[in-house]
Structure formats: structure tokens, C-alpha cells
Amino acid sequence: MKKQHLFIGGKYTESVQYTTLQAPYSGETLVEVASASAEETERAIIAAVEARKTMRQMPAHQRADLLYKLSAMLEERKEEAARIVSLEAAKPITAARAEIDRTIETYQIAAEEAKRLTGETVPMDAAKGGEGRIGYTMRQPLGVIGAITPFNFPMNLVAHKVGPALAAGNTIVLKPAEQTPLSAYFIASLLQEAGLPDGALNVVSGDGKTIGDVLVGHPDVAYITFTGSPAVGTSIRSNAGLKRVTLELGSNAAVIVDKDADLNKIIPRCVTGAFTYQGQVCISLQRIYVHQAIAEEFIHRFTEAAEQVVIGDPLNEDTVVSALITSKDVQRTLEWIEEAKQAGATVAAGGEAEGGILRPTVLVNVPRDAKVSCQEVFAPIVVINTVNSVEEGIQHVNDSMYGLQAGVFTSDIQTALRAVDEIEAGGVMINDIPTFRVDHMPYGGVKQSGIGREGVKYATEEMTELKFVMFNKN
């Protein structure tokens, strides 16, 4: 059986322990993957520390060239990369290809940002006593970045951490999700081929707590960037001390559909937002609040569309929904659906599983405290409730412990502006679903959806230290 070793200091090194990685859809064994110990994680940090000076002194144009080269190499091998994602994550192949395209662009944007880390002059004589002085700011790399990524976008969410870190001149210790480490090791091999200095990127797969505790607690790790659950994110923030952290956590993203909405355009878009890649996206559309004037037609047409969604093998070109990442998630979601039914909800479509696949599920009239409504479902389940106005819809959207992104469909500019002002979320999409994201926009949430912002420019700035410099001419 082939083994995937740890990547530390520019070399693949054997681990003391390996675990079997299986494909979520077929159950086939893919590879034996290294499971790093605390000591091996510390070795990765040491390698990153030793590479700090090299990366810090590397000119911006060279950092940019490395990232451009990585992007070009990924373009040449994107079908191979997409198959890796599809196999280890059960992501439908068309969605996997779309992720690779986004990843290529993310590294291109990071290359551009490497050359945009600018400071500003400070008019010292604007304050009494500042005469005769010149002041300016500059940005310098933080040092070692600890990056922890989830399974659902194993290439692109890695890119959102690795790209900005390298663009800013940092080094990285990357801990990929246990189910999707092969994507991270694939990127490591491409960066090595592109000429990245040894130790600038280190990949340690394995148990999240074992590796995470070392990264969060180690004095030489300057910054933690994490995408995952609110519970783990809260623990990281509690234990990180004075380390900087960016936490992209949970969501139960909602959209409001006003009475003037064009259902011909909106329903296909909402179906895409709810069910693409099994709903395993932080900003998957989970809650829909429809104006009562059009609710009956919306629910009927949405349900018909949901029943037409193709399920099956992720390598099938037509598949939209495949297996959930684990069998435990299938059982959990079935239990949540049953809880909603017992509380009075109606199952308009789906509600059943076929092996590891949960059929696209539409629930109507769901109580606000049902798990499928108030928690993050991370499955192809959408809740549709009726409201009397957009204002009522805004109240429901805000009635959540999360606030990552939300959407509003309306033709009324005043309604749109009011929604932008009143919705409690990191991003509000007018006339689009909350699942919309392109990779250069700021991305992050409020409340239990996290702190800090991703998006290449914003992440790159977060991974630098602002330094002030003053010259006295007197």
C-alpha cells in the first residue's frame, strides 16, 4: 500500500504512525497517510523557523514569480488535481474542476498582492512637536504561520492561507483536514518543484487536536489561521495568548425573497446554492424566507427543481450531490430531519439517504429552534419559511448565532439598502445567494461565524506587521 509521508523542511519524511484514507463515496482505500505526532509537528515548526530569514529577505518580485509559477503548474495538471479532490472529498468532478480553476486564480491574485504591500507617509508636522521629522509605515512578515484547513475546499482554502502567507514573506506549517490531506501534499510538491525554499512550507497531516495544540501553543508560531467549527475556533482563541488569529467558523446562511422576485432566475440560483457539493460549504444556502405573496409558487417550483438534482458517483460528469464526508454525518442529518418533522415541519422533497448520499431535502414551516434551522447543517438540506415582509425576513435572518453571509432578492433599492444596513453578517449579497464568493473579495463573519477576514489582499495584510519609521531632520 502506497504511503503518504509528512513534508517537513523540503523533504518527505516517514512518520511514526499512519492511518488509512478511504474515499467517502466508494469506500475504497486511497493511501496510508502519515499522522503526525506532537514531536513531528514541532520539527515542522523548527524547519519553518529556520526558513524565516530566507523568506523575509526574498524580494517581492521573486515571491510573486514563485506563486505565478505554482499557478501555471497547477493549470497544466488541473485535471489530476480535480480527480484528487473528487476522490478524497467526494466532490462532484465538475465542482472539483471549478475549485481548481478558483485555486489557480487565487494563487495568481496572491502573486499580485506580493508586489502591493505598501506603506504610507505620515505628516509628522500635523501634531505639535512633529516639525522637522519624516514618518512612514512599512509592512514586514510575521514569521511562522500556523494554518489549519477543512475538508470541503481542500485546494482553494489551502490557497487562501498558503498564498497570502508566501506573498507576505512568511513561512508556514499547514495542517490539512484528516479526510483531505492529499490535496495539500500535491500543492507542496508543486511548490517544491517551483523552487520554494526548503522549510517555507511544511505539511503535517493527522489528528487535529494533537497538531493544533502544538501550533497554537508554540512560542515560535506568530499567527493562526483556521477554518472550521465554532467550538474549535473558540478553543484556539482561548489558548492562543497574544498570537494573532483569523477564524472562519460556522454559518447557516439565509436568503430573503421579496414579492417582486423573478422566480425564473432565482429558483435555479437558490437550488445551486443549497445543494451543490452536498451543501458542504460554509455559505451553502440553508434558510430561505419567502414573501407570502409568492411563497406557494416558490415552494412548488423549488421542490420540483430539487427532485431533479442528479445524485451519485462524484466522478460522473452529471452528478451534483454525492456522498457526505462521513457516515456519521448521514446519520446526524437524518436525525435532524426527524426532529424537524416531530416539531411540525413538512418534508417537501428528499429526507432519505441512499448509502452515504442524503437526497436533496426541502423542509417547509420549520420551527426556529429546530437544529436544521438554528445550527449549521452542512448537508443538502434547505429550510423554506413564509414571511409577510422583507423586514420580518431580516429579523429571522438575524435570529441566529451565526453571521457569515446573507442574500436578498428585491427590485426595490430602498429595501435593499435597508437590508444591507440591518442584516448582521460579514457580507450581504443583493440579488444573489449568500453562497456567492470570488477570491479577492473580503470574506469573514460576525458573531459565532468568526473574526478577521480572508480574501487574498486582506489575509496578506493580516499576515504582516505594520512598522512605523521616523527620521529626525533637526
Side-chain angles (χ1 to χ4, degrees):
M1 176 62 62
K2 181 181 177 182
K3 287 187 175 183
Q4 174 63 67
H5 304 309
L6 303 171
F7 186 73
I8 299 175
K11 299 180 177 63
Y12 287 97
T13 60
E14 290 193 22
S15 175
V16 296
Q17 184 176 349
Y18 289 80
T19 58
T20 301
L21 181 67
Q22 293 180 313
Y25 174 74
S26 66
E28 68 174 303
T29 297
L30 299 176
V31 69
E32 296 291 317
V33 180
S35 186
S37 64
E39 293 75 17
E40 289 166 333
T41 304
E42 288 188 13
R43 279 170 39 206
I45 295 171
I46 291 170
V49 169
E50 291 174 349
R52 279 188 309 189
K53 185 176 181 181
T54 301
M55 284 302 297
R56 185 184 183 91
Q57 294 179 343
M58 183 181 290
H61 69 87
Q62 289 185 14
R63 301 196 302 271
D65 286 346
L66 273 170
L67 291 163
Y68 278 130
K69 190 177 294 185
L70 170 61
S71 179
M73 293 166 69
L74 189 55
E75 176 71 40
E76 291 175 358
R77 298 175 65 179
K78 64 180 181 180
E79 186 63 23
E80 178 185 356
R83 287 186 66 85
I84 291 172
V85 170
S86 191
L87 284 171
E88 68 177 353
K91 177 169 282 193
I93 189 65
T94 53
R97 291 190 187 114
E99 179 180 347
I100 302 307
D101 286 339
R102 283 183 60 190
T103 302
I104 291 166
E105 188 172 44
T106 299
Y107 284 121
Q108 290 171 343
I109 297 168
E112 294 160 7
E113 291 301 331
K115 296 183 282 188
R116 294 176 181 161
L117 281 170
T118 59
E120 62 180 6
T121 58
V122 179
M124 299 304 294
D125 60 354
K128 293 178 181 179
E131 299 88 341
R133 289 170 171 81
I134 298 171
Y136 64 91
T137 63
M138 59 188 296
R139 289 192 173 274
Q140 294 182 317
L142 290 176
V144 178
I145 306 297
I148 304 172
T149 57
F151 74 84
N152 57 333
F153 284 86
M155 288 280 184
N156 198 43
L157 289 183
V158 164
H160 272 280
K161 300 180 189 308
V162 170
L166 296 179
N170 296 290
T171 62
I172 320 142
V173 178
L174 170 65
K175 191 276 174 200
E178 290 181 68
Q179 180 59 43
T180 56
L182 302 184
S183 298
Y185 284 115
F186 181 78
I187 290 299
S189 67
L190 293 186
L191 274 169
Q192 185 180 40
E193 188 177 342
L196 185 70
D198 292 348
L201 171 63
N202 307 274
V203 182
V204 284
S205 49
D207 177 67
K209 180 168 174 51
T210 300
I211 298 170
D213 284 353
V214 176
L215 289 175
V216 172
H218 201 286
D220 287 326
V221 176
Y223 177 94
I224 298 292
T225 172
F226 168 80
T227 302
S229 73
V232 176
T234 300
S235 175
I236 288 173
R237 191 175 186 191
S238 297
N239 296 311
L242 295 179
K243 280 184 177 65
R244 294 191 192 179
V245 296
T246 291
L247 306 173
E248 199 273 281
L249 308 177
S251 177
N252 56 355
V255 73
I256 301 168
V257 182
D258 201 358
K259 60 181 179 295
D260 58 7
D262 183 344
L263 298 189
N264 291 326
K265 294 180 179 179
I266 291 171
I267 287 175
R269 191 75 178 126
C270 288
V271 169
T272 295
F275 301 129
T276 296
Y277 184 35
Q278 297 87 271
Q280 294 175 139
V281 182
C282 292
I283 42 178
S284 284
L285 178 54
Q286 185 173 330
R287 297 180 292 152
I288 303 176
Y289 299 104
V290 189
H291 195 286
Q292 57 88 21
I294 60 169
E296 184 177 351
E297 182 183 1
F298 182 95
I299 292 169
H300 174 71
R301 292 175 61 177
F302 187 96
T303 300
E304 282 190 336
E307 290 174 338
Q308 299 303 311
V309 172
V310 178
I311 67 172
D313 187 337
L315 294 178
N316 185 322
E317 296 286 340
D318 297 322
T319 296
V320 176
V321 170
S322 188
L324 290 175
I325 196 68
T326 70
S327 58
K328 290 181 180 178
D329 285 291
V330 178
Q331 185 59 39
R332 171 184 61 82
T333 52
L334 289 173
E335 291 172 357
W336 286 17
I337 292 168
E338 183 60 31
E339 179 206 51
K341 288 168 58 179
Q342 294 298 320
T346 300
V347 179
E352 300 173 342
E354 297 181 15
I357 300 174
L358 180 73
R359 296 193 67 86
T361 298
V362 181
L363 300 174
V364 180
N365 297 324
V366 180
R368 59 173 292 280
D369 57 351
K371 290 187 177 70
V372 291
S373 182
C374 66
Q375 297 188 26
E376 182 176 39
V377 70
F378 231 59
I381 300 173
V382 67
V383 168
I384 306 178
N385 285 347
T386 301
V387 293
N388 293 317
S389 64
V390 171
E391 289 74 15
E392 183 185 349
I394 292 171
Q395 293 175 10
H396 287 300
V397 170
N398 290 343
D399 183 21
S400 172
M401 61 183 172
Y402 300 117
L404 187 48
Q405 292 196 163
V408 180
F409 287 99
T410 181
S411 297
D412 188 311
I413 186 62
Q414 294 300 326
T415 297
L417 290 171
R418 185 164 60 252
V420 167
D421 186 53
E422 295 179 4
I423 288 176
E424 299 166 356
V428 179
M429 311 297 122
I430 299 299
N431 291 327
D432 211 341
I433 51 178
T435 323
F436 176 81
R437 182 185 182 186
V438 287
D439 295 291
H440 66 294
M441 72 187 227
Y443 178 76
V446 299
K447 299 189 276 190
Q448 290 195 35
S449 285
I451 57 173
R453 290 294 180 270
E454 290 196 329
V456 180
K457 170 188 174 181
Y458 308 93
T460 303
E461 289 181 351
E462 295 235 11
M463 294 181 186
T464 62
E465 190 73 67
L466 187 68
K467 178 179 283 187
F468 173 71
V469 180
M470 189 277 289
F471 281 83
N472 185 349
K473 296 189 295 182
N474 296 318

